[in-house]
Each structure stands twice: as C-alpha cells, then as structure tokens.
Amino acid sequence: IKIGTPCILYLQSCTEIKIEKAGTYNLTIDMVNATMLLEEVVVYPEALFLCGNLVDANWDPAFDGAILDPTDEGVYSIKNIELVAVNGNANAYFSFNTTTGSWDDVNKAARYGAESLDQAVAIGENMTVVSGGSSAFAWMVEPGTYDFVVSLKDMTLVVIKATTGIESIEADETVAPVYYNLQG
C-alpha cells in the first residue's frame, strides 16, 4: 500500500498488507467504491530542548532552561540563546532533544541534528534536520547569541543572529547643528 494514495480492493483473499515504513496510521476502507486509503498519523513532541555549548549548561542533558516553544504544529522556536566555545574550540556546537535527564534518558528519546559531523550553520538559511536516534550530529556555529526555529514538519532549522538592542548610533553629518540656550 502506498501511504496517502487510495488503492483498489480486490475481492480475493488477502493474507497481508505491506506498508512502506513503520508508524501510526489511519486506515479507511470504502466498501462502496472498493478502495482503501492509508494515511500516516504524525505525532510531534510536546517540546524540544536545545543541548550544546550553552553559556549556562555545557552539554548538560538535564538542563531544561533552553526549551523551544511550539509555535505551530511541528514548529518550535527559542530566542536569545548564547552559545560559547569551550575546550579550546573556535566554534560552539548544538543539537536538539525531545527530553531532558541523564544521557541514558536522552539517548532513548528522539534526538535531532545535522546531516554530517560538525556541519557549519548557514545563518538565516534553511538547514536540513535529521533524526539521529542516540547519535545525532551536532551543528557548528561561531560563538554568539542566536534565535532558532526548528520545523519537524519540514525537517528544517533556521538560525539567526539575535538582535540584542542598539548596536551603534551614527551621527548625521549632513544636518547643521541646532543650539539652544536657557530661553529656548
């Protein structure tokens, strides 16, 4: 059976139905039109946790202070997260977990990461997210403060440099200065 595509039922004995991949499905049988439809039921996690070189918790699997909020079905975001370089590295590293606790707890749950080892983040661009089981690859980024948006629906990640306030003030040199005294 092809997922999401109706197929015709035959009035013959059927001993098994082969499905493309394991998962949870809704099966609809239409006896009037002699069709069957198999649709995958996608269940997204309640939350995602950022794990990595966080300023407050360096790869601490029990740290729950970097939780991504669900913003839409299968989409999660978090803002103003500071990542730091540690152990003499020039870059910071991170991935995502569906739970916190010990590494045993985290490794039994779903983990999401990069397609390859130490994949560099392209700031502001869609990056592919993969489900890595207990060995998801980490992304690599320059130390700094970032906003993250993860879509498990599209399996994408967008990382943006966080705006932390006024960066600088520039004087407009083309306007003549105006001076005031105590009388205005």
Side-chain angles (χ1 to χ4, degrees):
I1 292 179
K2 199 141 184 81
I3 300 167
T5 303
C7 65
I8 296 175
L9 291 172
Y10 293 100
L11 299 175
Q12 296 176 359
S13 168
C14 181
T15 58
E16 64 183 48
I17 297 173
K18 293 184 181 180
I19 301 173
E20 296 171 337
K21 65 179 183 174
T24 304
Y25 296 92
N26 287 330
L27 177 64
T28 304
I29 298 175
D30 180 347
M31 296 304 284
V32 173
N33 296 309
T35 61
M36 179 170 50
L37 176 63
L38 185 70
E39 297 174 296
E40 187 173 10
V41 176
V42 179
V43 179
Y44 296 107
E46 290 181 27
L48 281 181
F49 299 90
L50 179 63
C51 193
N53 297 132
L54 302 169
V55 72
D56 296 326
N58 185 37
W59 287 102
D60 178 0
F63 182 68
D64 63 359
I67 184 171
L68 283 81
D69 296 318
T71 59
D72 198 4
E73 185 179 15
V75 180
Y76 308 83
S77 71
I78 191 168
K79 292 180 179 253
N80 295 317
I81 296 296
E82 185 178 356
L83 297 172
V84 295
V86 297
N87 300 330
N89 291 317
N91 294 299
Y93 299 85
F94 67 92
S95 64
F96 301 95
N97 307 323
T98 57
T99 190
T100 59
S102 70
W103 277 114
D104 286 339
D105 296 333
V106 169
N107 288 334
K108 288 177 188 171
R111 293 181 63 193
Y112 299 94
E115 291 180 289
S116 61
L117 182 64
D118 299 340
Q119 182 176 351
V121 168
I123 301 297
E125 295 183 23
N126 280 337
M127 306 283 299
T128 300
V129 173
V130 296
S131 178
S134 64
S135 61
F137 291 122
W139 279 283
M140 177 176 67
V141 69
E142 289 182 8
T145 304
Y146 297 95
D147 298 340
F148 300 84
V149 177
V150 177
S151 172
L152 297 182
K153 191 176 207 172
D154 301 328
M155 296 304 282
T156 59
L157 163 70
V158 176
V159 179
I160 300 169
K161 278 224 174 236
T163 54
T164 57
I166 299 171
E167 297 294 327
S168 65
I169 298 174
E170 295 181 25
D172 187 352
E173 301 293 334
T174 62
V175 177
V178 177
Y179 297 100
Y180 297 94
N181 62 21
L182 291 176
Q183 284 76 35

